Amino acid sequence: MHIFAFADSHGANEINERLKEVISEDMADVIVCAGDYTHFAHRPQDLYNLLEEAKVPVIYVFGNHEHDVKSCHINCGTDVDKQVVIINEVAYCGLSGHDLFNQSRQWRMVEVFDYFKKKLSSLSYKKLVFVTHEPPSSWRWPDNEDKYAGCPAIDTFIKEVSVDLVICGHLHVDEAAETIIDGHTRVINPSPRGTFIDI
């Protein structure tokens, strides 16, 4: 499966130009957005219009800029926050990040991860993709390889269910950045410009 993923575009024209090419030339099997596609919930209508032209599934989660969740839905896409969706034997599940700074977030995450573990154990799939705005704590980014940032609870979850690919955002990078966790799980921040990922 050929995924085109992006995060933290904040309605910028750069991702729109890239998406035009991806969509018009049928370059992806799935389009994935790991949040912060708006600027403080300001609707990026050009982005929405482009995604509506896509002939492939669009998967997304909210970022912390999508705090007004009612107005930020991508109508042509599937919000995988607290959901599992299977496309061509690849399971996608997700965790939004609009409440990153909420004190009760840890409780919510434990409940969501418990649900995912039960749900995934009853499903048949070949690969598992976890889409999250907040990165796992073991993710590294260029020039900061010795620093930890992100959420330890996400690390625990992706190890327990053996996630194949994590697509995350929040910590802005200029180019797509990838880390391998436990020799198995690829963690990719695709950058605002986006990147292609094969799984």
Side-chain angles (χ1 to χ4, degrees):
M1 181 169 289
H2 205 42
I3 298 170
F4 179 74
F6 68 98
D8 304 303
S9 59
H10 295 292
N13 287 331
E14 185 178 18
I15 187 60
N16 295 343
E17 293 304 314
R18 184 91 151 119
L19 276 169
K20 280 181 190 175
E21 179 185 10
V22 171
I23 291 168
S24 66
E25 297 184 18
D26 295 324
M27 297 169 71
D29 300 310
V30 177
I31 296 172
V32 175
C33 175
D36 274 10
Y37 48 90
T38 72
H39 183 68
F40 294 111
H42 175 72
R43 293 173 60 83
Q45 197 58 50
D46 290 344
L47 172 68
Y48 290 3
N49 292 343
L50 276 168
L51 292 174
E52 285 178 1
E53 295 176 16
K55 298 182 180 101
V56 299
V58 175
I59 301 288
Y60 73 98
V61 294
F62 293 127
N64 53 289
H65 273 243
E66 285 76 55
H67 55 274
D68 183 5
V69 295
K70 290 182 181 177
S71 69
C72 294
H73 282 283
I74 299 174
N75 293 331
C76 63
T78 301
D79 175 8
V80 292
D81 180 41
K82 299 181 279 187
Q83 293 191 63
V84 179
V85 175
I86 297 180
I87 301 169
N88 296 334
E89 300 183 297
V90 176
Y92 295 83
C93 60
L95 184 67
S96 285
H98 59 83
D99 60 348
L100 284 182
F101 310 107
N102 190 316
Q103 292 293 328
S104 65
R105 179 169 172 77
Q106 291 296 319
W107 299 340
R108 173 181 174 261
M109 291 172 75
V110 169
E111 291 177 358
V112 171
F113 292 153
D114 285 347
Y115 164 75
F116 281 151
K117 286 184 237 179
K118 290 176 187 173
K119 182 74 174 175
L120 291 166
S121 68
S122 68
L123 296 174
S124 175
Y125 56 89
K126 290 187 175 176
K127 298 283 185 177
L128 176 58
V129 177
F130 181 57
V131 183
T132 171
H133 184 61
E134 186 176 13
S137 61
S138 54
W139 178 69
R140 301 288 183 275
W141 68 105
D143 302 321
N144 289 277
E145 289 84 358
D146 60 335
K147 297 179 182 176
Y148 288 81
C151 179
I154 295 175
D155 281 85
T156 301
F157 168 70
I158 62 180
K159 289 174 185 176
E160 287 178 346
V161 298
S162 191
V163 174
D164 296 288
L165 171 64
V166 176
I167 300 173
C168 63
H170 190 53
L171 300 174
H172 294 202
V173 294
D174 293 329
E175 298 290 336
E178 178 172 348
T179 294
I180 305 292
I181 297 176
D182 291 342
H184 168 70
T185 302
R186 299 171 68 197
V187 181
I188 299 177
N189 182 321
S191 84
R193 187 171 186 274
T195 193
F196 287 99
I197 306 166
D198 285 316
I199 186 168

